[in-house]
Amino acid sequence: MQPTSTELRFDVEKVRADFPILGLRPHGKPLVYLDNAASAQKPRAVIEALRRFYESENANVHRGVHYLSQLASERYEAAREKLRRLLNARDAREIVFTSGATDAINLVATSFGQVFLKPGDEVLLTQMEHHSNIVPWQMLRDRAGIVLRVVPVTDAGELDLATFDQLLTERTKLVAMVHVSNTLGTVNPVKQIIAKSHARGAAVLLDCAQAAPHLRIDVQDLGCDFAAIAGHKMFGPTGVGVLYGRAEWLDRMPPHRGGGNMIKSVTFEKTTYADAPARFEAGTPPIAGAIGLGEAADYLMNLDFAAATSHEAELLAYATEQVRTVPGLRIIGTAADKVPVLSFTMDAAHPHDIGQVLDGYGVAIRAGHHCTQPLHQRFGLASTARASFAFYNKREEVDALVSALHHVNEVFV
Amino acid sequence: MADHRALYEKVILDHNRSPRNFGKMEHPDLQAEGFNALCGDQFTVYLRMEGDRIKEIKFEGAGCAISKSSASVMTAELTGKTRAEAEAVFAKFKAMITSEPGSPLDEKALGKLAIFGGVREFPVRAKCATLAWHTALSALHGAPDAVSTE
């Protein structure tokens, strides 16, 4: 196949060479990895950073006077600065390392919830939230008597903004919503929503887990109060994530967990807490993970992001057009603004069976509810199959997907 | 090699396309609901009893080819069985599903259940194959709560 104009600008083969795992051949077939929304693959630079850390930099941070501890602390704090740059936060103090996006959201629910949410206060969620941005708020509701309101989703998989306007009232204290849907691929108009929310006096938490691998997130431009990031979904290691929080909030929030590193001084009578971000980093943090994530942030900042984005848009358009040639296939999520995430059902086969047959062709997709059961219920479904792309995917992989999907029909029809 | 052809036997595909005893039973003596929390699959199993014996068994719900065909085959296998006999059939089925891939199957003892031998190559699908069975057994024991394979 002739490379398209975008692929000439965006050298996908050159980028693929940065990701060692893409050379695998499961079941003797070239790996076609289309499960990026679940977890993205890692560039060599990230893998090397982990190896380098454990081989020549490993020690605990912020405690020792010795060479290695200082080195590890420097690397860890340098990673914080890299994440600050990636997200364009004003101050590295606003970058809290967490164990992931789930942990980041739980931090806000527990800590912000304790001080700023009173019984009867409303938190506005959307119908397309991941369970990680539903359950922490339900736990808080049961603990603190807050009220949850849910913005519905249209048939196309977009937010019903008219209903959002009605649900956003002076009782709304926080809007907690997904930036990009992990199931539908929908990119929500978050800047507009943030402006409206602030005008009503509500703070905004963005779940950016799926946004980070596809979009440039500029927290100052967006104006969000909090943003949750999952390291492993943005080409970094597992077990690490980031909570961005505006200093005005973090400085007024109590710690959500107690332990070492988050204190100024401890006596049995009284403990004073460290300032953010250390206040929210009790215990030994995921040091290697954070350093690896800093490397992933560098990788993304060094990428020609505009070219990568248009390559992704082209992949999405091509995949959308091609899968529609498969009889009985229905795409769930047809928003005007999407990242390359393609969820679908097939008349002939259950998503699990689709995934199973595709695996035999080396094509890795996800089947299930993708931790968005309320969203699936809204579409009257128990599960979907989902092909999710990253910038390192290529047109030939769309062809492999579509050819395997035709084979699914041959098996089950 | 984990080839899907080993999993999707012809008979399995046939039961998936046209499941036996599929649908709601009016006024069952026993019923239970089973979930696979991982994939959202859900089945309801209905039983009509004659003393300790299963007189009629039906199921409805949504699931993959493996869970649906296994439910379908199960209804045929369990009809006419006592509780103890039903348990023995399930024990035999479960032992086969969780046995070493490639180890010999006692096809004579397993009868129709042997078509699920390929599931052994795909451990993640064992839950699919046993969902309806767990649900039926739970109904037989009169357990009030929904069954989950998690």
Side-chain angles (χ1 to χ4, degrees):
Chain A
M1 182 184 295
Q2 284 298 307
T4 64
S5 55
T6 330
E7 274 172 318
L8 281 178
R9 266 196 293 123
F10 183 76
D11 190 344
V12 70
E13 291 300 343
K14 185 160 170 279
V15 166
R16 290 176 68 83
D18 294 335
F19 292 80
I21 208 168
L22 297 179
L24 282 189
R25 295 180 63 85
H27 314 310
K29 310 278 187 348
L31 172 66
V32 177
Y33 188 76
L34 304 179
D35 195 17
N36 294 285
S39 196
Q41 299 301 348
K42 321 305 173 198
R44 189 174 282 105
V46 169
I47 300 165
E48 281 298 309
L50 293 177
R51 194 188 54 78
R52 191 171 60 236
F53 176 76
Y54 285 121
E55 282 187 2
S56 55
E57 298 165 358
N58 178 59
N60 211 332
V61 290
H62 302 151
R63 318 233 209 292
V65 293
H66 59 80
Y67 165 79
L68 277 179
S69 179
Q70 286 189 24
L71 186 60
S73 302
E74 275 167 30
R75 293 277 189 270
Y76 181 67
E77 291 307 322
R80 197 189 304 280
E81 172 57 23
K82 289 174 184 190
L83 270 298
R84 184 207 66 75
R85 273 177 53 217
L86 180 73
L87 301 175
N88 193 32
R90 261 167 307 178
D91 195 318
R93 290 201 307 123
E94 299 178 314
I95 303 294
V96 179
F97 282 118
T98 63
S99 74
T102 297
D103 191 32
I105 295 169
N106 275 275
L107 191 169
V108 177
T110 304
S111 173
F112 179 88
Q114 184 185 324
V115 176
F116 295 105
L117 298 176
K118 304 277 175 278
D121 283 352
E122 294 185 2
V123 171
L124 202 50
L125 309 174
T126 84
Q127 211 171 14
M128 64 170 86
E129 295 313 310
H130 189 281
H131 296 167
S132 61
N133 199 30
I134 298 174
V135 183
W137 304 109
Q138 291 175 325
M139 290 164 65
L140 183 66
R141 176 190 64 193
D142 298 345
R143 223 164 46 227
I146 60 162
V147 176
L148 302 182
R149 301 268 181 229
V150 182
V151 182
V153 164
T154 66
D155 289 344
E158 295 174 328
L159 285 182
D160 175 350
L161 292 174
T163 306
F164 169 79
D165 288 343
Q166 286 165 12
L167 290 174
L168 182 71
T169 68
E170 61 284 355
R171 292 187 301 279
T172 313
K173 293 295 178 287
L174 180 72
V175 177
M177 62 176 291
V178 74
H179 189 171
V180 169
S181 163
N182 69 315
T183 300
L184 304 165
T186 307
V187 180
N188 287 316
V190 291
K191 199 171 170 181
Q192 178 195 341
I193 285 173
I194 291 164
K196 283 182 178 175
S197 303
H198 284 171
R200 279 283 189 172
V204 179
L205 160 70
L206 292 182
D207 170 1
C208 294
Q210 295 293 338
H214 300 291
L215 308 174
R216 273 278 185 262
I217 299 165
D218 181 331
V219 291
Q220 291 191 70
D221 178 53
L222 292 174
C224 57
D225 300 275
F226 300 100
I229 306 277
H232 72 103
K233 291 194 203 296
M234 56 161 276
F235 316 100
T238 56
V240 65
V242 164
L243 173 70
Y244 159 78
R246 275 170 56 191
E248 301 92 290
W249 290 117
L250 293 184
D251 288 344
R252 290 184 288 157
M253 283 161 53
H256 65 310
R257 281 200 290 257
N261 188 52
M262 48 75 74
I263 50 92
K264 277 182 177 150
S265 77
V266 176
T267 67
F268 277 106
E269 287 69 40
K270 187 174 167 54
T271 291
T272 50
Y273 303 125
D275 295 330
R279 185 187 302 171
F280 304 103
E281 295 183 357
T284 296
I287 306 167
I291 292 168
L293 183 55
E295 211 61 47
D298 267 350
Y299 187 89
L300 286 174
M301 288 187 282
N302 290 331
L303 196 68
D304 182 347
F305 214 72
T309 304
S310 73
H311 171 69
E312 285 194 10
E314 195 165 297
L315 277 177
L316 174 65
Y318 183 60
T320 304
E321 168 201 309
Q322 289 300 305
V323 300
R324 282 190 169 136
T325 66
V326 179
L329 186 145
R330 179 164 75 105
I331 295 174
I332 309 298
T334 50
D337 193 1
K338 275 185 74 168
V339 301
V341 168
L342 213 52
S343 288
F344 56 92
T345 59
M346 290 174 79
D347 291 342
H350 182 280
H352 255 183
D353 298 316
I354 300 171
Q356 189 84 62
V357 173
L358 262 52
D359 177 63
Y361 291 89
V363 180
I365 63 154
R366 184 137 296 238
H369 51 60
H370 323 306
C371 295
T372 55
Q373 279 190 311
L375 180 65
H376 277 77
Q377 285 152 13
R378 183 254 173 263
F379 284 96
L381 300 166
S383 60
T384 50
R386 179 186 70 187
S388 54
F389 298 80
F391 52 74
Y392 48 60
N393 289 120
K394 48 184 181 174
R395 282 172 76 94
E396 291 88 331
E397 293 181 307
V398 173
D399 297 334
L401 167 71
V402 172
S403 143
L405 288 173
H406 280 290
H407 192 76
V408 170
N409 269 337
E410 285 165 27
V411 173
F412 290 99
V413 171
Chain B
M1 182 187 115
D3 188 321
H4 64 81
R5 273 165 295 196
L7 184 62
Y8 299 115
E9 283 262 355
K10 247 182 111 158
V11 187
I12 289 181
L13 292 172
D14 175 56
H15 276 271
N16 178 47
R17 255 180 239 119
S18 18
R20 325 296 195 259
N21 303 306
F22 187 73
K24 194 173 164 61
M25 182 190 287
E26 296 303 329
H27 313 297
D29 294 318
L30 300 166
Q31 75 176 70
E33 208 178 355
F35 291 97
N36 184 336
L38 216 64
C39 58
D41 286 359
Q42 176 270 329
F43 286 113
T44 306
V45 175
Y46 306 97
L47 295 147
R48 199 175 312 287
M49 304 296 290
E50 202 169 57
D52 190 45
R53 209 169 277 284
I54 299 167
K55 192 180 172 203
E56 196 191 349
I57 175 166
K58 293 187 78 168
F59 77 103
E60 65 173 355
C64 63
I66 301 303
S67 61
K68 201 197 251 181
S69 59
S70 171
S72 171
V73 169
M74 174 191 79
T75 60
E77 289 289 311
L78 295 191
T79 303
K81 298 276 194 299
T82 64
R83 279 186 168 85
E85 287 166 351
E87 267 175 50
V89 177
F90 180 40
K92 182 171 68 178
F93 180 61
K94 210 166 136 186
M96 184 270 284
I97 292 290
T98 52
S99 65
E100 201 59 38
S103 60
L105 290 176
D106 185 351
E107 300 209 10
K108 212 174 145 204
L110 286 163
K112 267 198 174 159
L113 299 178
I115 59 171
F116 293 99
V119 174
R120 299 178 301 169
E121 309 271 347
F122 305 85
V124 73
R125 306 302 295 274
K127 282 179 182 164
C128 313
T130 55
L131 175 60
W133 293 79
H134 280 292
T135 310
L137 267 290
S138 142
L140 281 172
H141 292 130
D145 293 332
V147 178
S148 171
T149 54
E150 291 314 296

